[in-house]
Amino acid sequence: MNGLLSDLRVGARGLLRRPGFTLTIVIALGLGIGASTAIFSVLNAVVLRPLPWSTPDRIVSFSEVREDLPGEAGATGAFMLSNVREWRERSETFEAIAAYWNDAFTLTGVEEPRNLNGLKVTPDLFRVLGVGAERGRVFEQAEVEAGEEKLAVFSHAAWQRYFGGDDDLLGRAVTLDDEVYTAVGVMPADFEFPDPDIEVWVPLLWKAPEDPNRVQEIMLPVIGRLNDGFTLAQAEAEGNNLLSRLREERGLARRQAVESGEAQAEGERRVVRRRSGEEGEGAAAAPPAGPPEIPEEPQSTLVLQTILDQQVAPVRPALRVLTGAVALMLLIACANVANLLLSRGLQRRRELATRAALGAGRSGLARILFAESLSLCLAGGLLGLVLAAGGLQLLRRLDPGDIPRLAEVGVDPTVAGFALLLSLACAALFGLAPALQMRMDRLLGSLGREGGPVVRGRSLATWFSSGLVVVELALALVLLVGAGLLANSFLRLVSIDPGFRSEGVTVAQVAAPFHRYPTGEARQAFFEGVLERLRSRPEVEHAGFVNFLPPVRGRIQMSMQIEGQPPPEGPMEDRIAEMRLITPGYLEAMGIELVGGRFLEDRDRDSGSPVMVVNEQFVKRFFPEEGGAVGERAAMFGEIVGVVGDVRAQGLDSDPEPTFYIPLRQAPAMLLQHFDRMALVAKSDRDTDLAAALREAVLAVDPTLAVADVETLSQRMSESVGLPRFYASVLGLFALLALALSVLGVYGLLSYLVSQQKRETGIRMAIGARRDQVLRGTVIRGVKLSAAGLGLGLLGAWALRSLLASMLFGIEAGDPMTFVGVAAVLFLTSTAACYFPGRRAASTDPVTALREE
């Protein structure tokens, strides 16, 4: 150990005598190790670190894949609530099963009404997760089933934010949506389910329908805890068998109910005929009615996965790309360092040969090289940790909100240990490997002979260094192509016309809770009262409500039948259109273009003739050969009075769907029963944020309600492209660093060759070589290296192009313009790096060069 410490001191002193060389290596290593450490921190937080629950690998999520729903809609991440209770009672593979749904609550009784993001959960949720309250307790299944449903458990953040961390909260009555709940517990600070925004959990009591033969089509997310001794595959097999039995039982119950009803109806008819004298002798018997058609319940398949896999699945491909990108960058940094160390090793061959001649064995030389390499790598690792900490702050600032647990990334002991191991691995690679490959006789030969082995060694080293530069350029090109594709994709995405104008528009979510506004008419009156007050303000140009504000994944789809047209014969998808419930003023506030007819107006009331406005995709689907849709009628929904432009309602990366807009006042009563929350949209005729105006308008109508998610529409649109912006930014940063390192590699190699061939250059210039010839020769050598690297890199990028396909929008993974453009940038920068060593070689003074040699 003392010998190693002594070698470290000697190595450090030697490195300090060459500050430029040392600083270059430390920076290169710091960039590679720092980037690797930052991405490892992300992988550790998102994928590797266990969820903060008891045995999280036993917690699984349920998905029911429905054959009657096409595409992604069939692979729903939800489960029928009617199946949950049966599952709890019949399953042998699960210890507990729980369902939940997101909801929002208005908290009153504090300084001002607050909107809380909440979750209604079946009481077994906490048992499934294996967690308890930090203060107080959680609610149990037995007490909820006994009728004690008004219980609430708060998050640690909500406890601090709304109640000042008061321990007296436990057992206190709190008012949520005008209903009194008893606060029974506060969860730990690190408990986040299903996401960090949830602030309160309240019971969801499953109640069986009055008709046991009716399937309750309520789809909810469901999770369960596996019993010890059972695997995921066993639980999935049991689940699919149980689903089949449940379908058969419900089908049999429906058939029996229908047959019983038919028999009862036939008996009633016979009684009527007897009383009227129709069933005497010679009376003709009524022909038996055919059996009614009983619709079959659609087939479905259960899919189980661990809850961690469920969380990570949407971002797993992107994490793989980022991991591969940082691995490429680390390889580029290592190749750069290897080149620099090889150059220095050749320069100090006499020193090593002298040590060998004085008795230093192979182990002694290896220890010297390892000590020097260890000093460099530890310094690079320390710099890497500093850079990783700064990079992680940047990542958290760029957090798109779609990557689970990204807010938890940081430099913890695990991450620091990874950086240390990476530094030690680099030290072993750069220190021990060259030492073990040294041949003692070659070192000894370099003492007395200027040619021979040393010349051959220099030639081999030159070839090896050139190969490393080619590899650096190839890897850098792969990274640059990936970054170029993502950047091109992002620019195309944000340049897409969404179909509306976000400038000057402020939006918010407003709820008219069922307990305060139990009827559709009452909720309509509330929303119209808010609009009346908002429109009276001089700064508000237009205002309106909509049930789903774009961009949003929510939708209501309806089968359409146009009056005067024959029923469509194609698949169901060809008859479907999306429905939006709006108030007059919404289309104008969003700046959606009017193509024909008119917008909805205040005169379109519930007492008037039903009207609707459709978009251009609707016209293309349902009126492909007509001159126009205005004046036509749709069954159930009335006359088409206007046609507006298409909106990318599901996101910028989605295509517009056939859509029709109907007035909230004319909405079917069955729909109004399910809508207590609407999005409020207001447009200012000035450059004014209307957030305060929206809050004041709502409070003026009902001072007990809170307004949620108040933001400008521009902010909302920016958040909707947060994930592609995050990936493009991170990969672009890695690519720029890789470009800098690879260009530095070209410059370093040529600078080294120029210094090594100084005598040869002097002789050539002494016998008549011109400066431009020397410059051109050096640049051509660098250009050849660049061309080889670019060719290899283009092949690699083409082979790996499919890895990015799922992350791109509006551009192919093999886009030739991106490949050619990136290759041109790398070629020009590497060629520019060749110029400076070439100019130094061309300025060589022959007399001085020969005298120095």
Side-chain angles (χ1 to χ4, degrees):
M1 178 60 70
N2 290 332
L4 178 60
L5 292 176
S6 177
D7 290 334
L8 285 173
R9 286 193 295 269
V10 172
R13 285 197 296 268
L15 293 173
L16 291 176
R17 286 195 293 269
R18 298 174 177 83
F21 168 83
T22 302
L23 189 61
T24 302
I25 288 184
V26 169
I27 290 177
L29 282 174
L31 290 174
I33 293 174
S36 301
T37 302
I39 296 302
F40 172 79
S41 178
V42 174
L43 292 175
N44 183 52
V46 176
V47 180
L48 303 179
R49 185 186 301 163
L51 293 167
W53 308 322
S54 174
T55 56
D57 58 312
R58 309 294 295 172
I59 305 173
V60 300
S61 67
F62 289 57
S63 291
E64 192 173 353
V65 181
R66 301 273 300 274
E67 67 171 10
D68 61 322
L69 298 176
E72 294 182 1
T76 175
F79 202 65
M80 279 175 52
L81 184 57
S82 58
N83 288 336
V84 174
R85 187 171 187 174
E86 298 291 339
W87 216 279
R88 284 174 44 204
E89 295 176 353
R90 303 191 191 189
S91 175
E92 297 180 357
T93 59
F94 281 95
E95 175 185 337
I97 297 174
Y100 59 93
W101 82 50
N102 290 76
D103 206 345
F105 300 91
T106 300
L107 172 66
T108 53
V110 290
E111 294 181 0
E112 63 177 89
R114 296 297 187 97
N115 187 83
L116 271 61
N117 294 312
L119 206 70
K120 288 187 175 180
V121 303
T122 55
D124 271 348
L125 176 81
F126 302 105
R127 183 180 167 200
V128 170
L129 298 177
V131 296
E134 179 182 72
R135 289 173 171 80
R137 63 180 180 85
V138 298
F139 38 81
E140 302 289 345
Q141 183 76 31
E143 64 180 330
V144 173
E145 289 182 346
E148 299 181 30
E149 301 175 44
K150 302 304 179 185
L151 306 175
V153 175
F154 288 91
S155 71
H156 190 275
W159 176 56
Q160 295 283 345
R161 184 179 302 124
Y162 306 123
F163 304 102
D166 186 358
D167 287 328
D168 291 338
L169 171 67
L170 303 179
R172 186 197 303 175
V174 294
T175 304
L176 300 174
D177 285 352
D178 277 354
E179 294 187 287
V180 178
Y181 285 75
T182 301
V184 296
V186 175
M187 299 304 292
D190 62 349
F191 180 74
E192 300 173 348
F193 182 85
D195 57 66
D197 295 330
I198 299 301
E199 298 172 296
V200 62
W201 294 263
V202 302
L204 164 66
L205 181 60
W206 186 90
K207 296 180 180 179
E210 295 180 2
D211 180 2
N213 299 321
R214 182 173 62 87
V215 178
Q216 192 172 356
E217 294 284 354
I218 299 178
M219 305 290 289
L220 295 179
V222 176
I223 61 173
R225 174 175 287 275
L226 286 173
N227 269 320
D228 293 338
F230 290 96
T231 65
L232 203 64
Q234 290 173 322
E236 200 168 86
E238 180 202 49
N240 281 307
N241 289 333
L242 180 56
L243 275 180
S244 297
R245 291 201 304 271
L246 289 174
R247 278 193 298 270
E248 293 174 0
E249 292 172 6
R250 286 194 288 257
L252 178 61
R254 285 196 297 272
R255 285 191 294 272
Q256 290 175 346
V258 170
E259 291 170 359
S260 174
E262 286 296 310
Q264 181 180 357
E266 177 62 21
E268 292 173 353
R269 285 193 297 270
R270 291 174 64 88
V271 169
V272 170
R273 284 195 295 268
R274 243 192 326 267
R275 288 177 178 174
S276 60
E278 294 178 358
E279 196 179 21
E281 291 185 8
E293 182 179 351
I294 303 174
E296 292 291 330
E297 184 176 333
Q299 295 285 331
S300 61
T301 303
L302 175 70
V303 177
L304 301 178
Q305 59 181 335
T306 66
I307 195 165
L308 180 60
D309 287 341
Q310 179 201 35
Q311 289 185 359
V312 176
V315 297
R316 194 182 296 275
L319 291 178
R320 288 173 181 163
V321 170
L322 293 181
T323 303
V326 78
L328 293 179
M329 184 180 165
L330 181 61
L331 288 175
I332 293 172
C334 289
N336 226 321
V337 173
N339 241 340
L340 292 170
L341 291 177
L342 181 61
S343 301
R344 184 164 185 261
L346 291 173
Q347 290 174 352
R348 62 186 299 197
R349 62 187 183 276
R350 284 185 175 274
E351 173 198 341
L352 296 176
T354 301
R355 288 179 179 270
L358 293 176
R362 180 173 298 185
S363 61
L365 293 177
R367 196 171 65 244
I368 293 172
L369 293 174
F370 177 73
E372 187 174 281
S373 178
L374 183 60
S375 300
L376 287 170
C377 292
L378 288 178
L382 184 61
L383 176 61
L385 273 178
V386 175
L387 295 176
L392 290 175
Q393 288 185 357
L394 177 62
L395 289 180
R396 287 193 293 268
R397 193 172 294 116
L398 293 173
D399 185 2
D402 299 280
I403 302 179
R405 301 197 286 173
L406 186 62
E408 299 177 18
V409 299
V411 180
D412 56 19
T414 302
V415 174
F418 172 82
L420 177 60
L421 288 177
L422 197 57
S423 301
L424 294 176
C426 291
L429 174 66
F430 299 137
L432 291 179
L436 293 175
Q437 294 174 358
M438 286 184 178
R439 294 181 56 184
M440 301 298 291
D441 57 340
R442 180 168 296 183
L443 289 173
L444 291 172
S446 68
L447 274 173
R449 297 193 298 270
E450 193 67 30
V454 173
V455 172
R456 289 196 298 272
R458 179 184 298 171
S459 175
L460 181 61
T462 300
W463 278 104
F464 185 68
S465 295
S466 299
L468 287 177
V469 169
V470 169
V471 170
E472 283 186 63
L473 290 169
L475 296 178
L477 183 62
V478 173
L479 267 179
L480 285 167
V481 167
L485 288 171
L486 286 177
N488 201 337
S489 171
F490 176 72
L491 292 176
R492 295 189 183 207
L493 183 64
V494 297
S495 65
I496 289 290
D497 181 7
F500 52 84
R501 300 292 172 263
S502 59
E503 297 81 8
V505 179
T506 305
V507 300
Q509 294 291 328
V510 180
F514 291 118
H515 65 275
R516 293 186 63 81
Y517 303 93
T519 65
E521 292 78 6
R523 290 192 292 277
Q524 290 171 348
F526 166 76
F527 291 130
E528 289 177 357
V530 172
L531 288 180
E532 182 180 348
R533 284 161 177 79
L534 196 56
R535 290 168 179 167
S536 66
R537 301 180 70 105
E539 70 270 27
V540 176
E541 184 177 2
H542 297 290
F545 279 99
V546 65
N547 57 339
F548 292 124
L549 177 67
V552 67
R553 300 298 178 186
R555 63 175 69 186
I556 299 176
Q557 293 183 317
M558 304 293 290
S559 177
M560 302 297 297
Q561 175 60 51
I562 305 301
E563 295 182 0
Q565 292 185 2
E569 299 179 355
M572 176 63 72
E573 289 79 2
D574 292 343
R575 291 174 276 166
I576 293 296
E578 294 189 14
M579 181 176 69
R580 292 287 186 269
L581 303 179
I582 66 172
T583 63
Y586 165 74
L587 297 171
E588 298 94 316
M590 292 288 288
I592 299 175
E593 180 185 4
L594 180 65
V595 178
R598 65 174 177 86
F599 288 122
L600 297 180
E601 299 174 357
D602 288 333
R603 58 176 167 157
D604 300 319
R605 311 287 293 183
D606 49 357
S607 58
S609 176
V611 297
M612 58 192 292
V613 170
V614 302
N615 70 344
E616 292 178 290
Q617 288 295 322
F618 187 99
V619 175
K620 291 178 182 178
R621 172 168 293 183
F622 295 101
F623 303 95
E625 300 177 359
E626 300 289 337
V630 176
E632 300 290 339
R633 298 184 64 86
M636 292 179 58
F637 299 105
E639 180 185 359
I640 299 173
V641 298
V643 177
V644 296
D646 295 329
V647 171
R648 295 179 182 268
Q650 307 300 316
L652 292 177
D653 57 347
S654 66
D655 294 326
E657 298 286 344
T659 304
F660 64 100
Y661 303 86
I662 63 174
L664 183 64
R665 273 286 182 182
Q666 296 180 348
M670 59 173 292
L671 284 177
L672 293 178
Q673 293 175 1
H674 301 286
F675 278 95
D676 66 337
R677 181 177 296 270
M678 300 281 281
L680 175 58
V681 180
K683 178 177 177 58
S684 172
D685 56 358
R686 314 165 191 170
D687 188 13
T688 304
D689 185 353
L690 297 175
L694 267 59
R695 289 191 177 95
E696 291 171 6
V698 172
L699 292 176
V701 178
D702 191 333
T704 67
L705 297 183
V707 182
D709 302 330
V710 183
E711 59 185 343
T712 65
L713 188 55
S714 297
Q715 290 172 329
R716 184 179 176 87
M717 294 303 298
S718 177
E719 292 166 0
S720 72
V721 295
L723 198 59
R725 178 173 53 239
F726 175 83
Y727 294 139
S729 300
V730 174
L731 197 60
L733 177 61
F734 289 165
L736 290 177
L737 294 176
L739 174 64
L741 288 173
S742 59
V743 169
L744 180 62
V746 173
Y747 173 81
L749 174 64
L750 292 180
S751 295
Y752 166 73
L753 292 178
V754 166
S755 64
Q756 290 295 103
Q757 298 172 0
K758 191 173 183 179
R759 181 182 180 186
E760 176 187 340
T761 304
I763 294 174
R764 289 179 58 202
M765 297 187 71
I767 61 176
R770 299 192 307 274
R771 293 182 182 274
D772 62 318
Q773 291 176 323
V774 175
L775 173 61
R776 185 166 57 252
T778 304
V779 172
I780 288 175
R781 176 179 291 182
V783 168
K784 290 180 179 178
L785 292 176
S786 300
L790 293 180
L792 185 61
L794 286 173
L795 292 176
W798 183 260
L800 298 175
R801 68 190 187 282
S802 61
L803 297 178
L804 286 175
S806 63
M807 302 170 62
L808 300 178
F809 171 81
I811 185 174
E812 296 294 331
D815 178 56
M817 293 301 296
T818 301
F819 275 68
V820 172
V822 167
V825 170
L826 184 56
F827 182 78
L828 291 175
T829 53
S830 58
T831 301
C834 300
Y835 172 77
F836 298 100
R839 191 178 66 175
R840 189 166 69 251
S843 63
T844 301
D845 180 19
V847 177
T848 303
L850 294 174
R851 183 182 298 118
E852 289 178 355
E853 288 291 330

